[in-house]
Amino acid sequence: NIKIDNDITCIQETGVASFMRCNIWHVRGRDYDLVIDTGMGLNPLKNWILKDTDRPLKAVCTHSHFDHSGGLHEFSCRLGHRLEANAFNAGGRNQTMYRGDWTKIEIVNPKQHPDFSTTTYTVQPAPLTGFLDEGDVLDLGNRTFNILHLPGHSPGSIGLFDRNSKILF
């Protein structure tokens, strides 16, 4: 864990090559906490975060690729863009982009994850429980995030912008 300030922690999934490791963000709020992106799902994430908070959790994935959405299934509140809904709903390998050359390179350390296999790894389905789109606001009680629709990396890529602190996820 990398503590950014009293309310923001960056969690990095262990055993994943640095060029593939997504930053998983835990943002503490007054009314609930936000988890932004969930890594490949190789390590239990929800219980790890619950050691640090007693507030309800809302998980947001900025897009549906396997390295950002692999742990989304652990959360009961799952938010993302409507254009990514089919990929989150289906899980698997194809729609979450774990295909082609990604399945041929070593992105997971076999010493840390001896059960990981490039032929069997898959993303568990995690149907979204709510949608986020351009102009929507997520309010944590003491801070708000404006949702930005940023298509390009994927059709439904989003960013979360805190206008007060000027922080963009």
Side-chain angles (χ1 to χ4, degrees):
N1 286 351
I2 302 166
K3 188 171 183 170
I4 306 302
D5 63 25
N6 287 335
D7 294 326
I8 300 173
T9 302
C10 178
I11 302 166
Q12 295 193 325
E13 195 166 30
T14 60
V16 177
S18 61
F19 68 90
M20 277 306 297
R21 189 176 9 190
C22 117
N23 290 323
I24 301 166
W25 298 99
H26 175 202
V27 181
R28 292 161 199 79
R30 185 191 68 215
D31 299 337
Y32 65 89
D33 287 7
L34 206 53
V35 179
I36 304 170
D37 290 329
T38 62
M40 288 182 63
L42 301 176
N43 304 294
L45 179 60
K46 183 180 176 183
N47 287 338
W48 174 263
I49 292 171
L50 287 174
K51 292 178 187 176
D52 195 35
T53 187
D54 58 358
R55 287 177 292 281
L57 298 174
K58 292 189 178 191
V60 174
C61 276
T62 58
H63 62 292
S64 61
H65 294 169
F66 70 94
D67 54 320
H68 289 256
S69 65
L72 187 60
H73 68 277
E74 293 183 46
F75 298 89
S76 56
C77 180
R78 299 178 298 273
L79 306 173
H81 196 277
R82 187 176 308 277
L83 291 176
E84 307 279 309
N86 288 340
F88 291 119
N89 191 46
R93 297 162 64 97
N94 193 42
Q95 288 201 47
T96 63
M97 302 304 290
Y98 189 70
R99 60 185 184 209
D101 287 341
W102 290 120
T103 66
K104 296 178 179 93
I105 58 176
E106 190 173 286
I107 59 174
V108 174
N109 183 331
K111 291 181 182 170
Q112 287 184 275
H113 297 285
D115 295 333
F116 178 84
S117 166
T118 58
T119 59
T120 60
Y121 170 76
T122 190
V123 174
Q124 291 189 38
L128 296 176
T129 60
F131 301 111
L132 299 172
D133 202 352
E134 179 76 28
D136 289 347
V137 176
L138 273 177
D139 186 349
L140 305 184
N142 59 337
R143 75 182 320 150
T144 58
F145 290 95
N146 292 80
I147 303 303
L148 306 171
H149 182 206
L150 305 169
H153 184 62
S154 72
S157 290
I158 59 171
L160 292 84
F161 182 58
D162 180 340
R163 292 186 192 277
N164 290 332
S165 67
K166 307 296 185 230
I167 293 174
L168 172 67
F169 295 99

